[in-house]
Amino acid sequence: MLEIYEYDQTEIDESWFDWSGGLWWSDFEEAGIEKCFVAFLGDEVVGFQTVNASYDCVAIEAKYKGQGIGRALVQESGCYRPDRNECPEFWAKMTEEFGN
């Protein structure tokens, strides 16, 4: 069962994100990150979403594509707008589903 928790920078173990191919950014202040949501499948970290002060998504990544992890992160965080829209189809779908 997928579970999502909110963490601050001091609570995170960077080894959780070894699978992200360098997409994890550990310096929250430098990246403008205010919140971080981490998705777990059992003990395995399978995704993350970082959010800035304007409540835009700085980054969202899932270890397994097409499994609903990204959608679950957006639903839990309430953050459905990207800081940079690098995947227009995904964000259009998230805005339609969760936007005002």
Side-chain angles (χ1 to χ4, degrees):
M1 175 179 187
L2 190 67
E3 296 181 277
I4 299 172
Y5 301 98
E6 183 179 340
Y7 290 93
D8 67 33
Q9 184 172 359
T10 64
E11 301 172 303
I12 290 179
D13 179 343
E14 289 185 37
S15 70
W16 292 347
F17 310 107
D18 288 345
W19 54 266
S20 74
L23 296 173
W24 174 253
W25 193 263
S26 61
D27 188 334
F28 281 22
E29 186 175 348
E30 183 178 352
I33 296 168
E34 293 289 321
K35 296 181 180 244
C36 180
F37 297 86
V38 180
F40 290 85
L41 194 54
D43 291 335
E44 179 184 16
V45 172
V46 295
F48 67 87
Q49 180 180 23
T50 53
V51 178
N52 67 20
S54 300
Y55 227 73
D56 296 326
C57 178
V58 176
I60 187 167
E61 293 297 330
K63 186 173 184 178
Y64 306 112
K65 306 299 181 199
Q67 302 296 312
I69 297 167
R71 182 194 175 283
L73 284 160
V74 169
Q75 183 175 20
E76 180 69 26
S77 70
C79 175
Y80 55 85
R81 293 183 325 257
D83 183 49
R84 294 182 320 223
N85 195 353
E86 296 177 0
C87 189
E89 298 87 19
F90 175 80
W91 290 112
K93 192 185 246 184
M94 295 302 100
T95 299
E96 182 179 315
E97 190 167 346
F98 300 111
N100 297 332

